[in-house]
């Protein structure tokens, strides 16, 4: 366990808010977003359902003064994997989004990558704070 720095807790909270909004939108508006982005509605629905659970985990971590370092590292690695996976999805040809869909995928990949970086920095700050 480590004492979570304020920076880490804020990075986790921002991720939880961003992911929570996406979870609600993709879960309850999958069909509308599928038409808007020319993406499969099941892809968006499943992403939304996953993000509901993810939001709960990250929100819970953000609310804790001390957290398991391995759990935060899992979130960081998961965010990095989501970023890479999003770009791979675009390049794979498995989906054929329109321009709005491509922009949405790239934008959320960038945002998720930024969260991974911020959380990693926060984790490092937490580790030094615990050692001091």
């Amino acid at each position: 366990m480590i004492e979570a720095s304020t920076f880490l807790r804020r990075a986790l909270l921002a991720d939880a808010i961003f992911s929570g909004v996406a979870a609600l939108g993709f879960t309850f508006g999958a069909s509308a977003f599928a038409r808007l982005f020319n993406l499969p509605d099941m892809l968006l629905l499943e992403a939304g359902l996953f993000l509901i659970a993810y939001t709960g985990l990250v929100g819970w971590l953000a609310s804790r003064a001390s957290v398991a370092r391995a759990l935060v590292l899992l979130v960081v690695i998961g965010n990095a994997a989501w970023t890479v996976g999003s770009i791979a999805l675009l390049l794979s040809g498995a989906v054929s989004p329109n321009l709005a869909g491509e922009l949405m995928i790239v934008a959320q990949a960038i945002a998720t990558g930024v969260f991974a970086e911020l959380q990693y920095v926060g984790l490092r700050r937490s580790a030094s704070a615990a050692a001091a």
Side-chain angles (χ1 to χ4, degrees):
M1 298 292 281
I2 59 169
E3 294 300 316
S5 68
T6 301
F7 189 91
L8 175 59
R9 293 176 71 192
R10 287 182 180 163
L12 290 166
L13 180 60
D15 189 2
I17 291 168
F18 180 84
S19 298
V21 169
L24 292 174
F26 290 158
T27 300
F28 298 108
S31 294
F33 282 116
R35 285 190 303 277
L36 178 65
F37 299 133
N38 196 39
L39 288 168
D41 59 346
M42 283 307 290
L43 173 69
L44 297 175
L45 177 61
E46 289 170 1
L49 292 172
F50 168 80
L51 287 171
I52 290 172
Y54 177 81
T55 297
L57 170 65
V58 176
W60 177 79
L61 284 171
S63 72
R64 308 275 62 125
S66 61
V67 294
R69 183 181 189 286
L71 199 50
V72 175
L73 193 54
L74 180 65
V75 169
V76 171
I77 292 168
N79 276 335
W82 186 284
T83 299
V84 171
S86 296
I87 300 305
L89 177 67
L90 273 180
L91 299 176
S92 73
V95 295
S96 301
N98 57 24
L99 180 60
E102 289 176 357
L103 292 173
M104 183 276 299
I105 291 171
V106 169
Q108 63 82 33
I110 291 169
T112 305
V114 168
F115 286 133
E117 178 65 24
L118 293 173
Q119 291 159 353
Y120 181 73
V121 169
L123 185 60
R124 289 180 51 105
R125 287 184 182 182
S126 297
S128 359

